Amino acid sequence: MSTRFGVLSGPGGGRIMSNLVRRTDEEHMQTALAEAERAAAEGETPVGAVLVIGDRVIAAAHNMRETWQDPTAHAESMVLRDASARLGRWRLPDATVFVTMEPCLMCAGALVLARVGRLVYGCRDPRAGALGSVYDVVRDGRLNHVYRITPGVLEAECRAVLQGFFEKLRTG
C-alpha cells in the first residue's frame, strides 16, 4: 500500500484511512463543540474552535466578542492567536483548525493569512459563511494560499447548539 495525500491507497486502504480520519475529525469537533457550549454559558454566540497539529491539540477557544467588546474576537481568530503564541510562529501550514460553524469572511481570510493547511467545520452559515455559502474565499485564485476544507463534520450537533442558543434568546 502506498500513501497519496495522507490517504492509504490500495485494496480497501482508502476506506480504512478515511474512516480513521472521520473518527479523528469527529473527536476534535467534539472538543470544538465543548468550547461552543462554554461560549453559550457566557452569553456568547456559541462557536468553538480547536487548532491541532498532528494529533496534538495546540489551542482551543470560543467566541469572546461580547465579553471583550471586540468585533474580531471570533473563535477562529482566538485559536489562531493562542496557537501562534504557544508555538512562537504565525505560519501554520501543518495545522488543522476545527470550527463548529463555517467561518465568516474575516476568519476565512485569517486562515489564509496564517497559511493553515486544513479547515474542518460543522454547519454552514447561510448569512455570513465565506467558504461557499455567501462568499468563497479559498477559491479566489488571486490569494497566495489555499487550504483544504472538510465541511459537515457533526453538522447536526453544531447546528443544534446554535439553534438552541438563539431560541433561548428569543423566548428568554
Side-chain angles (χ1 to χ4, degrees):
M1 251 186 253
S2 64
T3 61
R4 181 179 168 148
F5 305 114
V7 176
L8 292 174
S9 59
R15 207 170 29 257
I16 292 167
M17 186 56 119
S18 68
N19 287 340
L20 177 62
V21 169
R22 186 178 67 247
R23 191 168 40 249
T24 301
D25 285 356
E26 289 175 357
E27 289 170 5
H28 290 306
M29 189 61 76
Q30 287 289 352
T31 304
L33 275 163
E35 285 292 327
E37 294 284 356
R38 282 196 235 347
E42 295 171 11
E44 297 281 352
T45 300
V47 177
V50 179
L51 188 141
V52 176
I53 295 177
D55 60 353
R56 189 171 142 230
V57 173
I58 305 300
H62 56 270
N63 278 1
M64 295 290 291
R65 290 186 312 174
E66 300 300 325
T67 302
W68 289 6
Q69 291 299 296
D70 178 352
T72 68
H74 291 201
E76 301 93 327
S77 294
M78 304 296 291
V79 83
L80 289 173
R81 286 178 192 153
D82 291 351
S84 293
R86 285 189 180 128
L87 296 169
R89 60 185 168 100
W90 61 269
R91 288 180 186 89
L92 303 167
D94 50 346
T96 299
V97 173
F98 296 82
V99 64
T100 56
M101 185 169 70
E102 177 184 8
C104 69
L105 187 56
M106 176 185 72
C107 293
L111 294 164
V112 168
L113 294 174
R115 314 293 197 272
V116 165
R118 180 173 174 238
L119 172 80
V120 179
Y121 72 84
C123 62
R124 289 184 129 357
D125 181 355
R127 292 187 181 97
L131 297 176
S133 291
V134 177
Y135 303 102
D136 203 346
V137 170
V138 294
R139 287 198 176 88
D140 186 333
R142 297 169 293 179
L143 298 176
N144 64 346
H145 179 73
V146 174
Y147 46 86
R148 291 174 293 134
I149 302 168
T150 304
V153 174
L154 299 182
E155 181 175 3
E157 293 90 333
C158 293
R159 186 180 309 108
V161 170
L162 284 159
Q163 287 174 338
F165 176 78
F166 287 112
E167 284 174 16
K168 189 174 177 182
L169 277 182
R170 283 191 294 275
T171 61

